[in-house]
Amino acid sequence: MNIEEKAKEIVKRLTLAEKASLCSGADTWHTEAVERLNIPSAMVADGPHGLRKQIGRTDNMGINISAPATCFPPAATTANSFNRELLNEIGVAIGEEAAAAQVSVVLGPGVNIKRSPLCGRNFEYFSEDPYLAGELGAAIVCGIQSQGIGTSLKHFAGNNQEKFRMISNSAIDERALREIYLSAFEKVVKTAKPWTIMCSYNKVNGTFASENKQLLTDILRDEWGFDGVVVSDWSAVNDRVLGVAAGLDLEMPASGGFNDRLIARAVKRGGLSEEALDQTAERLVKLVLKSQENLKSSFTFNVESHHKLARKAQAESAVLLKNDGDILPLKSSDKVAVIGEFAKENPRYQGAGSSRINPIKIDNTYDELVKLGVDAVYCSGKDADEVNRVAANADTVLIFAGLPDEYESEGFDRTSLNLPDAHNAMIEAAIAANPNVVVVLQCGAPVAMPWNNRVRGILLAYLGGQAGGGGVADILTGTVNPSGKLAETFPLSIEDTPCFGNFSNDDLSVEYRESIYVGYRHYNTLNKPVAYPFGYGLSYTSFDYSDFSANSTSAKVTVANNGKIAGSEVVQLYVSGPKSSRVYRAVHELKGFQKVFLQPGESREVTFALEARAFEYFNRRTNAWTTEGGEYTVSFGASSRDIRGAVAVKIAGDVDYAETLNFDEIYGAKLPPKRRNLGEPFDANCTLDDIKGKRIGRLMRKIVAKKSDVMFSNPDNNNDDGFKRMAEATQMETPLRAFGMMSDGLLPPARLDGLLLIMNGKSLRGMLKMFRSI
């Protein structure tokens, strides 16, 4: 009997209450067990760039301490490698560490699209491009699951900002939804088959993702063939019964049992079919059985080999943005000034929030440079006079700058592209003292570089993981030839971004008026100047492209290394629609990439397979993918703005209508109200900030603040400024219903209803409701 058959047999023996109990977690990290039938629980743990298995007291924000694990570079970094094999290798390593920790499902990767460079959680995501995000997401999922460990692909879907993430609505037209925001998920589901999918907090076109049947059943299961478990993001559930009916299997964390009782009551009263509950229970039992089948009683991993892999990942993913006069790699005779706390005392190597890994060990760049034989002197950069003096006495100055934890984190979005003033001042002080300045940027997203034209070199390290210091040192010394390419555009200003004015404001409904024109699709279609384009990155060698050919199913190009040292080139394939297209299109879209390593003088033919989807768009009128007939252009580039050759390809197809970009028209429905209701009547989706003027609101704020103080007062916990700012922003923007989930059963729905009645001026009814809920 296979697992599916076993699950069906087990569910037949479950009582209604037992089936309902499976639908929520036993605690923060475990599924519910049914001891009567020997159904154990399975453990899940945060990822996605390592394993965050909490020890002792648990929480879902990453504040309480977790067991040491290898901290690999996050997705924002490894995406720049454009290397499927590297992501698969990292996935295997994470899977090994999960197996050793008896964890059955790793909560990751995240393949949400970087709609704005200001999204606070962008460091967890791969790209502004869905093809790249899907390819790399599939690679890491396959790697993790090859070890018998499940993954949870997240956050499904339209979760592209942190502000009001638990109550905001993403208003996305159907073409943009399918072509941009769902495309990466589709790729991973169909090719890598993740064990679970995590739904997002937000609404998508008016319906919470946790109860969105179009997303969770019609598209995910019926169209894409997903047969795994859909799990909620932690405390994302709005209406549990609607969630089960829509296809949400597992609510996390534990609901205190009250949502289980609501499910059972709905079945008894006919509000939910028992068949739907049985399907959910079967999927959950199957997940547990699969988890148990793959558990290893004793498993170890090679700590040092994982650290070396993390170092390799940083070195292969860092992007050399500028190298005037070949200032890099460093000369063996150079006396080098290393300036900035990120270089030694306080390396920035990952983001803040639920993905925060407790690293086994941490390298810093200064120490690694010294180990590699560099004659280096260090200063923290806090004192401008010291910076000036140290820089003036060096041949080359390395300035380490970027974004501290409190600038980018889960839970809040940035408000500008600017670096901290102190970091810019440190760079300016070095420039004033020495013309040979190289800036090493450590950040999880694009930043403004007002000094760009006055430094000779810029190495974008992003966030390098625990071995990032060694990976950066390898590039600076020439031990490794840089090969990273930008997985997102660096704009000149935030006003240039496609969603400017429709991102992370106080609106309840966020309108995606740019439609499909996200990232380079926007900048390149409008020919808008940028700081650095998508796909861009320099090397210590150079490459020639020749012999271009393409047809409807494949494309070829020959790439040669015409420099003096070995190196890797990311060859990018872009497709442009017919010039006479009757539907709006981006000027070109990434539809293939290959990373090739070449010795000096070596050449190689690079071949791409072109799927039908490379030429299709989503037809909102027929609700299907459609090919428009005509002459397409297949282009080969070293970046999205460095096209080395192109071939015209005739594609058969048809289109029966013309369509221009008018968001109000293509949205296809009445747009929801944008503004939030900031007064009475209050409901369960009001935030703590909304009720701060009420006596109950002030009391709840005190309780929450006291709980935070207790957590942050523990010296063993993550208590830096980034976590404190994340906690503050998250708490004030959390809906009241979610506090019920976090209250360990102290605030069940009936009691919350009573509180809402009291706040809405119906004190007697509210007090009676609360009394009856005791």
Side-chain angles (χ1 to χ4, degrees):
M1 187 182 297
N2 62 32
I3 285 179
E4 193 162 332
E5 292 169 336
K6 286 181 183 177
K8 287 182 181 292
E9 288 301 312
I10 289 172
V11 171
K12 288 177 182 178
R13 299 165 58 196
L14 291 172
T15 66
L16 176 59
E18 288 170 337
K19 285 186 281 192
S21 73
L22 292 173
C23 296
S24 67
D27 53 29
T28 307
W29 303 115
H30 294 85
T31 62
E32 188 65 73
V34 180
E35 294 182 6
R36 183 178 69 85
L37 296 179
N38 296 317
I39 302 173
S41 66
M43 184 177 190
V44 304
D46 270 320
H49 59 278
L51 189 70
R52 189 178 74 88
K53 179 183 178 181
Q54 285 190 310
I55 51 180
R57 187 172 178 82
T58 63
D59 73 282
N60 65 297
M61 292 193 296
I63 296 172
N64 287 300
I65 197 69
S66 58
T70 305
C71 178
F72 292 96
T77 307
T78 53
N80 302 311
S81 74
F82 278 72
N83 189 334
R84 301 172 181 87
E85 290 73 25
L86 175 64
L87 269 295
N88 184 270
E89 197 175 352
I90 291 172
V92 170
I94 293 173
E96 289 177 350
E97 297 195 21
Q102 300 282 290
V103 168
S104 294
V105 177
V106 175
L107 302 175
V111 294
N112 294 85
I113 295 301
K114 298 181 180 183
R115 179 174 176 248
S116 168
L118 299 183
C119 175
R121 211 169 181 177
N122 272 358
F123 59 84
E124 282 192 50
Y125 304 139
F126 289 107
S127 181
E128 66 190 25
D129 181 78
Y131 180 84
L132 179 59
E135 291 289 315
L136 299 183
I140 196 169
V141 166
C142 286
I144 294 172
Q145 295 192 167
S146 71
Q147 302 305 299
I149 304 298
T151 56
S152 195
L153 186 67
K154 61 186 186 181
H155 304 90
F156 191 65
N159 182 188
N160 308 107
Q161 68 180 48
E162 290 298 284
K163 190 174 182 63
F164 294 123
R165 62 179 179 172
M166 298 187 79
I167 58 173
S168 68
N169 174 55
S170 298
I172 313 172
D173 72 88
E174 194 68 17
R175 263 195 75 186
L177 184 66
R178 297 297 193 124
E179 295 181 20
I180 305 296
Y181 298 100
L182 297 186
S183 181
F185 288 97
E186 180 181 7
K187 177 70 177 183
V188 180
V189 167
K190 288 183 174 180
T191 61
K193 303 186 184 306
W195 289 14
T196 77
I197 296 255
M198 185 189 294
C199 79
S200 57
Y201 287 116
N202 52 287
K203 294 179 181 179
V204 178
N205 292 331
T207 304
F208 278 106
S210 62
E211 57 199 52
N212 194 312
K213 181 177 178 294
Q214 182 197 17
L215 287 177
L216 305 186
T217 296
D218 299 347
I219 294 175
L220 182 59
R221 298 190 190 279
D222 296 344
E223 289 187 30
W224 298 351
F226 178 69
D227 63 356
V229 165
V230 176
V231 57
S232 74
D233 204 341
W234 269 230
S235 303
V237 169
N238 177 61
D239 185 311
R240 189 64 189 102
V241 174
L242 288 178
V244 173
L248 177 68
D249 301 309
L250 178 62
E251 172 187 30
M252 290 298 283
S255 70
F258 50 77
N259 275 345
D260 304 342
R261 293 189 288 274
L262 289 176
I263 291 170
R265 185 188 307 166
V267 172
K268 289 177 182 177
R269 295 180 177 178
L272 177 68
S273 72
E274 190 156 8
E275 180 185 8
L277 179 57
D278 286 348
Q279 289 176 340
T280 292
E282 285 174 15
R283 290 191 286 259
L284 289 165
V285 171
K286 187 169 70 171
L287 174 66
V288 171
L289 293 177
K290 187 188 293 188
S291 300
Q292 290 297 307
E293 185 177 82
N294 286 280
L295 272 181
K296 300 173 177 67
S297 57
S298 60
F299 186 86
T300 59
F301 63 92
N302 189 314
V303 172
E304 194 54 39
S305 70
H306 285 193
H307 189 72
K308 288 178 180 177
L309 175 59
R311 181 170 182 151
K312 170 187 170 184
Q314 166 69 106
E316 193 168 331
S317 304
V319 183
L320 184 60
L321 296 179
K322 187 174 184 179
N323 195 25
D324 287 357
D326 293 333
I327 192 169
L328 294 177
L330 297 170
K331 314 301 185 290
S332 59
S333 59
D334 281 355
K335 182 177 180 180
V336 178
V338 179
I339 301 174
E341 286 189 329
F342 283 1
K344 184 178 182 181
E345 300 157 87
N346 187 26
R348 180 88 202 288
Y349 58 94
Q350 64 175 328
S354 61
S355 69
R356 182 75 165 264
I357 310 300
N358 181 14
I360 294 173
K361 58 181 177 178
I362 304 173
D363 292 342
N364 71 70
T365 305
Y366 173 76
D367 287 346
E368 295 303 316
L369 286 170
V370 172
K371 288 178 186 178
L372 291 171
V374 175
D375 180 9
V377 60
Y378 169 79
C379 79
S380 68
K382 291 181 178 180
D383 181 83
D385 291 336
E386 184 185 25
V387 171
N388 193 282
R389 176 178 55 79
V390 172
N393 291 323
D395 297 310
T396 303
V397 181
L398 302 177
I399 295 285
F400 286 73
L403 296 174
D405 282 336
E406 62 268 28
Y407 272 67
E408 55 179 351
S409 166
E410 178 182 352
F412 61 87
D413 300 311
R414 287 190 293 158
T415 56
S416 80
L417 293 171
N418 296 336
L419 292 176
D421 290 343
H423 288 229
N424 281 327
M426 179 171 60
I427 295 169
E428 295 290 351
I431 292 171
N434 193 316
N436 298 320
V437 173
V438 175
V439 176
V440 180
L441 283 172
Q442 294 179 333
C443 48
V447 294
M449 294 174 266
W451 31 259
N452 180 55
N453 295 328
R454 292 178 289 119
V455 298
R456 288 187 59 189
I458 303 173
L459 179 64
L460 175 63
Y462 269 87
L463 303 174
Q466 68 177 47
V472 168
D474 288 339
I475 290 177
L476 293 173
T477 58
T479 306
V480 172
N481 189 351
S483 61
K485 301 275 190 170
L486 288 178
E488 59 187 318
T489 306
F490 270 53
L492 287 171
S493 71
I494 196 59
E495 290 79 11
D496 289 339
T497 58
C499 61
F500 179 71
N502 286 298
F503 172 81
S504 194
N505 48 36
D506 288 331
D507 290 343
L508 178 64
S509 187
V510 181
E511 297 174 355
Y512 287 46
R513 289 187 166 269
E514 71 280 2
S515 187
I516 64 170
Y517 296 100
V518 178
Y520 70 88
R521 287 168 168 79
H522 163 78
Y523 302 110
N524 293 359
T525 299
L526 296 180
N527 201 25
K528 187 181 288 289
V530 298
Y532 294 101
F534 176 88
Y536 171 87
L538 300 175
S539 170
Y540 294 153
T541 188
S542 57
F543 302 92
D544 280 343
Y545 290 52
S546 61
D547 302 329
F548 309 99
S549 65
N551 56 40
S552 62
T553 59
S554 66
K556 295 179 183 179
V557 62
T558 297
V559 181
N561 181 348
N562 61 2
K564 296 180 180 180
I565 62 172
S568 295
E569 172 72 333
V570 176
V571 186
Q572 301 159 46
L573 190 76
Y574 295 89
V575 173
S576 304
K579 290 185 176 63
S580 58
S581 177
R582 300 181 66 199
V583 296
Y584 58 91
R585 293 177 179 270
V587 66
H588 56 200
E589 298 179 317
L590 183 73
K591 297 299 179 183
F593 61 88
Q594 296 288 345
K595 192 165 194 174
V596 292
F597 178 80
L598 299 171
Q599 294 290 341
E602 182 184 3
S603 64
R604 187 178 307 168
E605 184 178 74
V606 180
T607 302
F608 300 89
L610 281 168
E611 299 175 350
R613 184 65 63 84
F615 304 100
E616 293 175 335
Y617 72 97
F618 193 82
N619 188 324
R620 66 183 182 88
R621 299 193 181 187
T622 62
N623 200 42
W625 290 93
T626 302
T627 302
E628 181 182 19
E631 187 174 272
Y632 288 71
T633 302
V634 176
S635 303
F636 304 84
S639 83
S640 66
R641 290 199 172 180
D642 183 7
I643 302 301
R644 302 295 182 88
V647 178
V649 177
K650 289 186 177 180
I651 301 294
D654 196 15
V655 63
D656 59 358
Y657 72 99
E659 186 171 73
T660 56
L661 178 53
N662 180 316
F663 182 76
D664 296 283
E665 178 184 326
I666 63 174
Y667 184 70
K670 183 179 178 181
L671 285 163
K674 291 183 70 171
R675 299 297 174 187
R676 293 192 300 130
N677 175 25
L678 298 179
E680 298 181 17
F682 299 107
D683 60 32
N685 278 310
C686 287
T687 67
L688 190 57
D689 189 59
D690 293 338
I691 63 169
K692 62 186 177 184
K694 292 287 184 176
R695 182 177 300 174
I696 291 174
R698 291 192 291 272
L699 178 61
M700 288 184 69
R701 285 189 70 179
K702 287 182 180 179
I703 293 171
V704 170
K706 186 175 182 179
K707 186 175 180 180
S708 290
D709 290 342
V710 170
M711 294 177 72
F712 286 121
S713 65
N714 186 339
D716 292 330
N717 289 345
N718 292 306
N719 54 15
D720 57 42
D721 291 341
F723 272 100
K724 289 176 180 176
R725 186 177 173 194
M726 177 198 69
E728 181 181 356
T730 300
Q731 289 161 359
M732 297 310 296
E733 295 179 358
T734 295
L736 300 181
R737 60 171 166 81
F739 282 108
M741 289 288 299
M742 302 172 189
S743 69
D744 298 322
L746 296 176
L747 190 61
R751 200 167 298 167
L752 176 57
D753 288 345
L755 287 175
L756 288 169
L757 285 168
I758 293 171
M759 285 189 287
N760 287 323
K762 300 174 182 177
S763 300
L764 182 59
R765 285 179 58 192
M767 292 174 67
L768 286 172
K769 187 93 173 178
M770 292 187 67
F771 178 78
R772 289 168 182 165
S773 70
I774 297 175

